[in-house]
Amino acid sequence: MSTNEKVNDIKPPLWVLLELTHKCPLECTYCYNQLDFANTKDEMIKEDWFRVMEEVRELGAVQLGISGGEPLLNKDIVEIVAKASELGFYTNLITSGVGAPEGIIGKLKDAGLKTVQLGIQSHDKDTMTLVTNHKGAYEQKLKIAKEIKDAGLQLIVNTCITRQNIHQVGEIIEFADETLDADYLEIANIQYYGWALQNVNALLPNKEQLTKAKEVTDKYRSKKKDMKAFFVVPDYFADRPKACMNGLGTTFLTINPDGMALPCNTANTMPIQWPNVKNSSIKEIWFDSEQFNHFRGDSWMSEPCRTCDERDKDFGGCRCQAYALTGDMHATDPVCSKSPDHGVIEKKIADSVKFANQDLVYRNKKNSLAFINKTF
Ligand code: SF4
Ligand code: FES
């Protein structure tokens, strides 16, 4: 079936992400969020979130991610999770673990939370401080990891890999398994959008480093330990793009703290005025809005995607990345070797070697802790 036929067969969203606030105590150098991310206002009140959950549940969604910014900074989070459980959602909290109110994990467990995904940047305190620009992050993350396990919740550790920590992959695996007792470890090679794109020269590992890190992960996996470890290869080193979001408007729905509905959590970096749940129902937004229909099917595609026999596999790649790197949201994702803009990726890789000493830039440059001098 071609993607144009699929446009007439719109399925409801399967995976819904509520971004409860964009406030975040950390300034991770690899953050994929847009540069003015922290300026989004918290305009959704508890009752708005309840209505959104009722509407998406009615459409058939069952997976609910609760994220941010740092979602634990939303004072209504326990009631929101309780409502999600009452509606029958499987809830996953995505957190940095920093700035968490005392005792919150136990309350969330009682409210019905099932899984916590915790970002851990390193087993080493100095590296974590360097990456997050936050001196107390290490202790707070360790404390909350223990609370998650003590509460009997599933713990997924997510480690974003950059040049600052790629040499530590073996130690990070050991730390996640033995110290944190994680159920899963995702070693995620980051996507270069937002702050990550600003910092790309200082962050992008080289191919040899990636090969070695993958070998270390595979070696651990071959031992059949309790913790499951996954390694996600960065698309800059592939010759085909990822099928990002499984195609926009097919599977994922994100709601921002100001009520904006998005088919991908960074889709607001593109020049589209996305609809808002305060003005329209989820049903209208998902099925009928011009914006959510824009990238369905293949009529929006430019060449070479439009006539490519692989377009049903990757949908032309990532729209946010195509826009960030070419200024054209309809362009072929430059990761693809068939893209006329593929040279942009090759240049990024070459520049990351040439300008490898570029300083890390944080959201709040004045508070930079980059003086923690490490050689990578
Ligand atoms: Fe995918 Fe487009 Fe590349 Fe074809 S040209 S493989 S559809 S990104
Ligand atoms: Fe937005 Fe890929 S991250 S479409």
Side-chain angles (χ1 to χ4, degrees):
M1 183 164 57
S2 85
T3 48
N4 260 345
E5 283 165 320
K6 281 180 196 159
V7 78
N8 300 318
D9 180 27
I10 306 165
K11 303 268 187 319
L14 280 181
W15 217 100
V16 179
L17 187 71
L18 308 184
E19 295 191 340
L20 295 190
T21 179
H22 279 179
K23 294 189 188 86
C24 181
L26 303 185
E27 297 180 41
C28 300
T29 47
Y30 58 74
C31 182
Y32 60 70
N33 287 301
Q34 64 274 20
L35 304 186
D36 61 351
F37 174 73
N39 297 340
T40 315
K41 300 262 182 314
D42 289 351
E43 284 175 13
M44 293 281 284
I45 58 170
K46 179 174 69 183
E47 288 73 18
D48 294 325
W49 291 119
F50 288 180
R51 179 177 57 78
V52 164
M53 288 191 283
E54 280 162 359
E55 290 185 22
V56 288
R57 188 72 191 93
E58 207 164 296
L59 292 185
V62 284
Q63 296 282 344
L64 189 82
I66 301 209
S67 173
E70 177 43 66
L72 295 176
L73 300 182
N74 182 309
K75 65 177 178 32
D76 299 319
I77 188 168
V78 176
E79 283 176 81
I80 291 168
V81 168
K83 178 73 176 179
S85 308
E86 182 193 311
L87 290 168
F89 280 109
Y90 186 90
T91 48
N92 176 24
L93 172 72
I94 301 158
T95 179
S96 71
V98 176
E102 200 58 43
I104 189 80
I105 293 298
K107 288 181 193 159
L108 289 171
K109 158 83 179 173
D110 293 345
L113 183 70
K114 297 284 185 284
T115 299
V116 184
Q117 182 178 317
L118 177 67
I120 296 278
Q121 289 76 11
S122 176
H123 69 295
D124 167 65
K125 182 173 171 173
D126 278 355
T127 309
M128 194 181 287
T129 308
L130 175 80
V131 175
T132 61
N133 205 33
H134 191 292
K135 274 184 183 159
Y138 186 81
E139 289 78 8
Q140 292 189 50
K141 283 170 183 281
L142 252 66
K143 179 170 180 280
I144 207 160
K146 183 170 182 325
E147 286 172 14
I148 293 163
K149 288 305 291 187
D150 288 351
L153 289 164
Q154 188 175 58
L155 173 63
I156 302 171
V157 169
N158 177 282
T159 301
C160 289
I161 291 293
T162 63
R163 210 182 306 138
Q164 285 66 40
N165 61 1
I166 195 159
H167 58 294
Q168 301 172 339
V169 161
E171 288 143 309
I172 292 169
I173 292 174
E174 194 180 312
F175 182 68
D177 187 2
E178 287 167 23
T179 307
L180 304 179
D181 192 19
D183 299 285
Y184 295 89
L185 170 66
E186 286 175 1
I187 300 170
N189 282 292
I190 62 167
Q191 301 303 327
Y192 291 92
Y193 319 134
W195 279 106
L197 189 56
Q198 293 280 303
N199 280 319
V200 61
N201 289 342
L203 299 178
L204 189 67
N206 62 39
K207 204 159 189 173
E208 291 69 43
Q209 288 173 313
L210 284 161
T211 307
K212 185 146 184 258
K214 178 144 190 331
E215 278 168 13
V216 171
T217 311
D218 287 345
K219 194 167 166 203
Y220 171 85
R221 284 153 58 109
S222 69
K223 291 186 202 152
K224 295 205 184 335
K225 298 270 208 147
D226 288 344
M227 182 185 79
K228 301 215 172 11
F230 300 95
F231 189 90
V232 184
V233 182
D235 59 3
Y236 272 34
F237 292 95
D239 63 359
R240 289 289 180 272
K242 58 189 178 297
C244 200
M245 302 291 137
N246 195 34
L248 287 183
T250 67
T251 313
F252 295 92
L253 171 66
T254 295
I255 313 295
N256 257 0
D258 58 5
M260 189 185 278
L262 301 165
C264 143
N265 46 350
T266 52
N268 52 348
T269 55
M270 291 189 270
I272 291 183
Q273 188 60 48
W274 295 100
N276 193 297
V277 298
K278 288 176 164 252
N279 309 321
S280 313
S281 72
I282 298 282
K283 199 170 173 197
E284 287 162 345
I285 290 172
W286 182 262
F287 290 99
D288 303 328
S289 73
E290 202 185 307
Q291 298 92 325
F292 272 70
N293 277 310
H294 188 84
F295 291 109
R296 288 182 176 137
D298 53 21
S299 53
W300 59 268
M301 288 179 181
S302 316
E303 292 294 355
C305 294
R306 191 187 271 252
T307 51
C308 177
D309 59 8
E310 295 181 66
R311 69 188 185 284
D312 281 356
K313 273 194 229 154
D314 60 36
F315 319 107
C318 174
R319 293 303 87 219
C320 296
Q321 179 151 276
Y323 181 66
L325 295 180
T326 72
D328 176 1
M329 63 182 178
H330 302 115
T332 297
D333 185 333
V335 160
C336 183
S337 60
K338 300 183 195 180
S339 160
D341 300 304
H342 188 61
V344 174
I345 299 284
E346 290 169 339
K347 183 164 183 332
K348 288 258 176 264
I349 294 173
D351 282 355
S352 71
V353 176
K354 198 164 156 194
F355 306 112
N357 292 331
Q358 178 187 299
D359 286 341
L360 291 167
V361 179
Y362 297 102
R363 264 205 310 273
N364 185 352
K365 294 181 197 141
K366 277 186 263 157
N367 294 339
S368 171
L369 296 176
F371 59 82
I372 298 175
N373 237 334
K374 300 217 118 201
T375 310
F376 302 104

